[in-house]
């Protein structure tokens, strides 16, 4: 290991130990919607008033409301109608999903390519999880949000790389850093943001391929299988365990495998997956 890599590893480890690693904040719009959604006697127009202040979020929720998942044969064009169709819980989770995207689009040239790559994998994972969720009893919006949140720990790690341009220019080194630290930092961030323990575990264990803590399926099991599919056909895929050997796969009972060791039904859902990925970009 080079001296630069050793210095960076030591810096991250020290910051984690001391609690001094600068963690990102959940965007204000997501915090406000989450807070309002917890009110017992919430009127839909209160939610509309908050969300319509963000034209991008409004357009995003209308677009999701017209997606195959929610479309009931009639196109919606107003935010109120879209939120009625989505429901409060889905609106809360989809708002967080939209807000997270903004964190990955920093313009710092040293790291923007790495951020973009992490976001692309998160989007791919989220789309996979969203399509799989109904088959194994998980809410689709929660699955989508978990897929987008699972790599949030990459943000502060990559932010530190701005001070190590030579290291940032080495993709293999960056990947090693993320493999070692991103899960731990994701768990810290999700806990700091007040997400439920199941979501925190998603961040911590999103690549614990042989994880087997309890017999009942967990949200992290869904994300493990979804994330696994993002590696199919990529360098390093052969280093992963076969999908049938993963306890998460056995628990979810998602059906037969195709010739590339991926789930067969996902090939049939290709159009839905692509539409979701485009909506989340």
């Amino acid at each position: 290991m080079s001296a630069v890599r050793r210095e960076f590893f030591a810096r991250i480890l020290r910051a984690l130990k001391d609690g001094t690693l600068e963690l990102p904040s959940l965007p204000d719009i997501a915090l406000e919607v989450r807070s309002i959604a917890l009110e017992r006697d919430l009127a839909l127009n209160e939610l509309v008033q908050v969300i319509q202040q963000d034209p991008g979020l409004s357009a995003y929720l209308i677009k999701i409301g017209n997606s195959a998942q929610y479309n009931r044969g009639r196109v919606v064009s107003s935010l109120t109608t879209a939120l009625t169709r989505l429901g409060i819980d889905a609106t809360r989770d989809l708002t967080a999903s939209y807000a997270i995207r903004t964190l990955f689009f920093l313009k710092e040239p040293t790291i923007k390519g790495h951020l973009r790559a992490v976001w692309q994998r998160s989007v791919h994972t989220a789309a996979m999880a969203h399509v799989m969720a109904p088959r194994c009893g998980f809410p689709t919006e929660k699955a989508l949000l978990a897929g987008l949140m699972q790599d949030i720990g990459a943000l502060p790690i990559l932010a530190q790389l701005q001070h190590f341009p030579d290291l940032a220019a080495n993709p293999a080194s960056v990947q090693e850093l993320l493999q070692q630290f991103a899960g731990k930092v994701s768990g810290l961030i999700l806990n700091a943001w007040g997400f439920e323990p199941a979501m925190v575990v998603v961040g911590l264990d999103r690549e614990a391929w042989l994880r087997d803590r309890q017999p009942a399926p967990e949200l992290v099991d869904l994300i493990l299988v979804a994330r696994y599919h993002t590696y199919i056909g990529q360098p390093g895929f052969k280093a992963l365990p076969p999908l049938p050997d993963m306890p998460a796969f056995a628990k979810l009972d998602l059906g037969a495998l195709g010739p590339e060791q991926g789930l067969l039904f996902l090939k049939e859902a290709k159009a839905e997956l692509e539409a979701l990925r485009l909506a989340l970009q």
Side-chain angles (χ1 to χ4, degrees):
M1 183 186 294
S2 70
V4 173
R5 288 171 69 187
R6 281 197 299 272
E7 181 186 351
F8 187 86
F9 270 77
R11 181 172 180 158
I12 295 293
L13 285 169
R14 188 165 55 248
L16 285 171
K17 183 179 179 181
D18 299 342
T20 57
L21 187 66
E22 188 174 346
L23 303 180
S25 299
L26 190 63
D28 290 343
I29 186 67
L31 287 171
E32 193 168 359
V33 169
R34 281 174 66 82
S35 176
I36 291 173
L38 291 173
E39 294 179 10
R40 186 170 299 176
D41 300 318
L42 174 66
L44 187 66
N45 68 308
E46 295 178 60
L47 207 50
V48 171
Q49 287 172 15
V50 171
I51 291 172
Q52 68 186 4
Q53 298 174 44
D54 188 321
L57 173 60
S58 299
Y60 172 76
L61 292 173
I62 291 171
K63 185 177 182 179
I64 296 294
N66 284 315
S67 68
Q69 176 72 25
Y70 295 101
N71 196 322
R72 297 166 186 164
R74 185 169 60 87
V75 174
V76 299
S77 56
S78 76
L79 181 60
T80 300
T81 308
L83 298 195
T84 301
R85 180 175 286 185
L86 294 171
I88 291 172
D89 289 347
T91 298
R92 177 199 61 214
D93 289 342
L94 289 166
T95 296
S97 299
Y98 174 83
I100 290 305
R101 177 186 181 277
T102 64
L103 298 176
F104 281 92
F105 281 78
L106 300 177
K107 294 183 179 179
E108 168 57 46
T110 311
I111 61 170
K112 69 178 183 179
H114 298 303
L115 285 169
R116 183 67 174 167
V118 171
W119 178 246
Q120 291 291 348
R121 189 174 300 281
S122 295
V123 164
H124 194 178
T125 302
M128 291 280 188
H130 187 274
V131 171
M132 293 178 190
R135 288 177 169 252
C136 40
F138 290 100
T140 53
E141 295 77 24
K142 188 67 68 182
L144 186 78
L145 182 58
L148 295 178
M149 291 283 197
Q150 35 112 29
D151 253 347
I152 195 70
L155 285 171
I157 296 169
L158 292 175
Q160 293 288 325
L161 276 177
Q162 297 177 62
H163 310 295
F164 295 80
D166 291 342
L167 191 57
N170 186 329
S173 294
V174 173
Q175 189 60 31
E176 184 183 351
L177 288 167
L178 294 178
Q179 285 177 346
Q180 180 157 353
F181 294 115
K184 299 180 184 72
V185 180
S186 292
L188 284 173
I189 293 170
L190 293 169
N191 186 61
W193 285 356
F195 280 93
E196 65 271 27
M199 193 71 77
V200 175
V201 171
V202 163
L204 287 169
D205 288 348
R206 86 257 189 275
E207 286 201 347
W209 306 117
L210 299 178
R211 183 185 189 278
D212 191 13
R213 302 283 175 82
Q214 63 180 48
E218 301 173 77
L219 183 61
V220 65
D221 294 321
L222 179 66
I223 297 305
L224 279 165
V225 174
R227 187 175 175 94
Y228 182 96
H229 280 76
T230 70
Y231 286 104
I232 292 176
Q234 294 195 355
F237 174 65
K238 290 183 179 179
L240 302 185
L243 190 56
D245 291 353
M246 289 173 56
F249 174 73
K251 291 181 200 177
L252 295 176
D253 191 23
L254 286 163
L257 297 180
E260 296 176 340
Q261 289 302 299
L263 288 164
L264 198 57
F265 84 87
L266 290 177
K267 284 187 172 293
E268 300 165 3
K270 186 176 180 180
E272 183 182 352
L273 283 167
E274 191 58 28
L276 261 174
R277 289 175 69 176
L278 288 173
L280 293 167
Q281 297 296 344

